[in-house]
């Protein structure tokens, strides 16, 4: 691609691709999505997915083309265990994983579910082990070794997951990982920012440092308590991480996880890294999960928000009127159809201009002179200000007819 920053579907800054910007990047040849919507996504307070909900969401995730689906945690409840078994049974295409604690009994449940692999967790920070779990530190190591070794015996692809890894001593973390890798088993290691406390630069450091010492594929599981889950995930990918843990809409424990939609679109358009999913289904997937979760997507959420492609201001409406038909990416950095969003909507409000009135008068079939347009615009601004919202079509018609009647 000669101009990766400018295609028929997006238009971003060419600076993103300058050699002096990209020369230190070291991304893997392929980045895979490990979707955790059905497990960590459901951990957002108030979200409850039934067995059928989980199966339907898994089917939709498969349609989009995610590489792995973390279908849940068997130990949570019998319905969760049943959902995992049913998702495995459907043979949807993506690899099906589940989440377990570092306990042999949990691994047995995973085996019974028939999953391809497990993400197996253990507390990593001394303060969490000693104060939250009230364990001696050696217990965390022993449990990890026994459970991961048993997982290997059962033929499970084992991803070792260290809770609160970013608030512990690096030497202690690497010691834990090394002992599990040598005395127990791991096929991959997850860099976990449980409380979302990494900075983007620290995320890059964390990835590089672990990559130097751990000769295993690295996975990324970053939360968004400071709103940096997406940025941190991208920095980790650019430092060599191969698998990213994301949720649809960024739902998840507390402030959520890295949003799949924003993460994969940033990787694609800003860094030229294509994860290989069907981007045109992102809005369909988002609405699907929103309906089942009961969590509304913020209207201004990139790519999937209901108002992500809505225009009220007069100047931007003029840009749209003059340029959208020729090249939509002049007005929007990503073509709405590329992410499966509805085409742009022009609304009327306090910030509107004459071109908003022109487009609306054409839409409703009311012919207005230039003077009448200005008169209507003034009334629209006042009415919108008083109502503290944009106007409806009926309200516009009423104003336009009143103006035309006065002019007569």
């Amino acid at each position: 691609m000669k101009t990766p920053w400018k295609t028929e579907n997006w238009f971003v800054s060419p600076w993103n691709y300058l050699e002096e910007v990209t020369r230190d990047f070291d991304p893997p040849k392929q980045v895979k999505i490990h979707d955790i919507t059905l497990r960590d996504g459901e951990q957002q307070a108030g979200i409850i997915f039934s067995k059928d909900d989980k199966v339907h969401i898994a089917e939709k995730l498969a349609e989009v083309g995610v590489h792995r689906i973390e279908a849940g945690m068997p130990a949570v409840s019998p319905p969760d265990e049943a959902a995992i078994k049913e998702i495995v049974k459907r043979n949807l295409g993506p690899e099906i994983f589940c989440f377990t604690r570092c306990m042999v009994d949990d691994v047995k449940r995973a085996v019974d579910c028939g999953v391809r692999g497990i993400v197996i967790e253990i507390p990593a920070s001394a303060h969490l082990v000693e104060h939250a779990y009230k364990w001696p530190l050696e217990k965390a190591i022993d449990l990890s070794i026994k459970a991961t070794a048993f997982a290997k015996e059962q033929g499970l692809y084992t991803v070792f997951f260290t809770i609160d890894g970013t608030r512990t001593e690096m030497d202690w973390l690497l010691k834990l990982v090394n002992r599990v890798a040598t005395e127990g088993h791991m096929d991959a290691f997850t860099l976990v920012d449980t409380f979302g406390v990494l900075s983007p630069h620290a995320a890059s450091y964390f990835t590089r440092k672990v990559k130097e010492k751990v000769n295993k594929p690295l996975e990324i599981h970053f939360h968004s308590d400071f709103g940096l889950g997406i940025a941190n995930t991208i920095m980790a990918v650019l430092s060599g991480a191969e698998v990213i843990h994301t949720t649809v809409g960024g739902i998840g424990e507390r402030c959520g996880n890295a949003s799949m939609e924003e993460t994969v679109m940033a990787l694609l358009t800003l860094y030229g890294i294509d994860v290989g999913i069907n981007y045109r289904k992102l809005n369909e997937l988002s609405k699907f999960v929103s309906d089942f979760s009961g969590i509304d997507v913020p209207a201004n959420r990139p790519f999937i928000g209901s108002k992500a492609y809505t225009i009220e201001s007069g100047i931007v409406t003029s840009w749209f009127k003059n340029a959208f038909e020729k090249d939509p990416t002049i007005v929007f950095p990503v073509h709405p159809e590329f992410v499966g969003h509805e085409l742009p909507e022009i609304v009327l409000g306090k910030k509107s201009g004459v071109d908003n009135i022109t487009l609306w008068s054409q839409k409703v079939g009311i012919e207005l002179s230039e003077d009448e347009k200005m008169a209507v615009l003034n009334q629209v601004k006042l009415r919108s200000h008083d109502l503290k919202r944009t106007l409806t079509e009926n309200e516009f018609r009423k104003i336009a007819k009143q103006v035309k009647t006065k002019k007569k």
Side-chain angles (χ1 to χ4, degrees), residues 4-19:
W5 58 87
K6 176 71 177 81
T7 74
E8 63 178 4
N9 292 312
W10 63 81
F11 187 1
V12 299
S13 175
W15 302 346
N16 299 329
Y17 292 88
L18 292 175
E19 194 277 334

Side-chain angles (χ1 to χ4, degrees), residues 21-72:
V21 173
T22 64
R23 63 187 167 209
D24 294 327
F25 295 172
D26 186 27
K29 291 181 179 179
Q30 182 185 11
V31 176
K32 292 184 177 181
I33 298 174
H34 176 99
D35 182 84
I36 55 174
T37 301
L38 299 180
R39 199 275 302 171
D40 209 329
E42 191 187 21
Q43 284 183 213
Q44 181 168 330
I47 295 180
I48 298 175
F49 293 135
S50 69
K51 172 189 171 183
D52 287 344
D53 293 344
K54 289 199 170 193
V55 172
H56 292 320
I57 292 171
E59 289 174 334
K60 189 63 67 175
L61 288 165
E63 286 180 24
V64 172
V66 302
H67 307 92
R68 285 194 207 153
I69 298 172
E70 190 176 295

Side-chain angles (χ1 to χ4, degrees), residues 4-234:
W5 58 87
K6 176 71 177 81
T7 74
E8 63 178 4
N9 292 312
W10 63 81
F11 187 1
V12 299
S13 175
W15 302 346
N16 299 329
Y17 292 88
L18 292 175
E19 194 277 334
E20 60 191 292
V21 173
T22 64
R23 63 187 167 209
D24 294 327
F25 295 172
D26 186 27
K29 291 181 179 179
Q30 182 185 11
V31 176
K32 292 184 177 181
I33 298 174
H34 176 99
D35 182 84
I36 55 174
T37 301
L38 299 180
R39 199 275 302 171
D40 209 329
E42 191 187 21
Q43 284 183 213
Q44 181 168 330
I47 295 180
I48 298 175
F49 293 135
S50 69
K51 172 189 171 183
D52 287 344
D53 293 344
K54 289 199 170 193
V55 172
H56 292 320
I57 292 171
E59 289 174 334
K60 189 63 67 175
L61 288 165
E63 286 180 24
V64 172
V66 302
H67 307 92
R68 285 194 207 153
I69 298 172
E70 190 176 295
M73 189 172 181
V76 167
S77 70
D80 279 78
E81 189 169 0
I84 297 167
K85 289 179 179 179
E86 183 62 29
I87 291 169
V88 170
K89 180 181 173 183
R90 296 291 174 103
N91 194 25
L92 300 174
E95 294 180 324
I96 307 301
F97 278 52
C98 69
F99 195 82
T100 73
R101 296 164 295 183
C102 264
M103 299 170 63
V104 171
D105 284 345
D106 272 25
V107 179
K108 288 179 180 177
R109 287 176 181 267
V111 173
D112 290 342
C113 288
V115 295
R116 166 74 176 83
I118 58 172
V119 177
I120 189 164
E121 69 166 355
I122 199 72
S125 60
H127 56 266
L128 199 65
V129 173
E130 293 174 338
H131 300 297
Y133 286 77
K134 296 188 180 301
W135 292 350
L137 293 176
E138 193 63 27
K139 180 177 180 178
I141 296 176
D142 289 342
L143 285 172
S144 301
I145 291 170
K146 289 176 183 176
T148 57
F150 181 73
K152 180 183 181 181
E153 292 173 8
Q154 303 305 309
L156 292 170
Y157 186 92
T158 304
V159 180
F160 189 51
F161 183 104
T162 48
I163 304 171
D164 201 20
T166 57
R167 295 195 303 181
T168 190
E169 294 292 331
M170 182 67 76
D171 289 345
W172 157 255
L173 180 67
L174 292 173
K175 175 187 174 184
L176 170 61
V177 175
N178 182 61
R179 283 196 59 185
V180 172
T182 55
E183 299 175 42
H185 173 70
M186 71 174 71
D187 292 295
F189 176 62
T190 306
L191 308 179
V192 186
D193 188 21
T194 303
F195 296 98
V197 293
L198 275 182
S199 72
H201 295 87
S204 182
Y205 164 80
F206 185 23
T207 309
R208 293 195 312 270
K209 194 73 173 176
V210 173
K211 199 171 180 65
E212 289 173 4
K213 303 293 184 180
V214 179
N215 188 27
K216 298 288 182 180
L218 298 186
E219 307 196 0
I220 303 302
H221 182 106
F222 290 162
H223 280 261
S224 293
D225 294 72
F226 282 82
L228 293 171
I230 296 165
N232 290 344
T233 297
I234 291 169

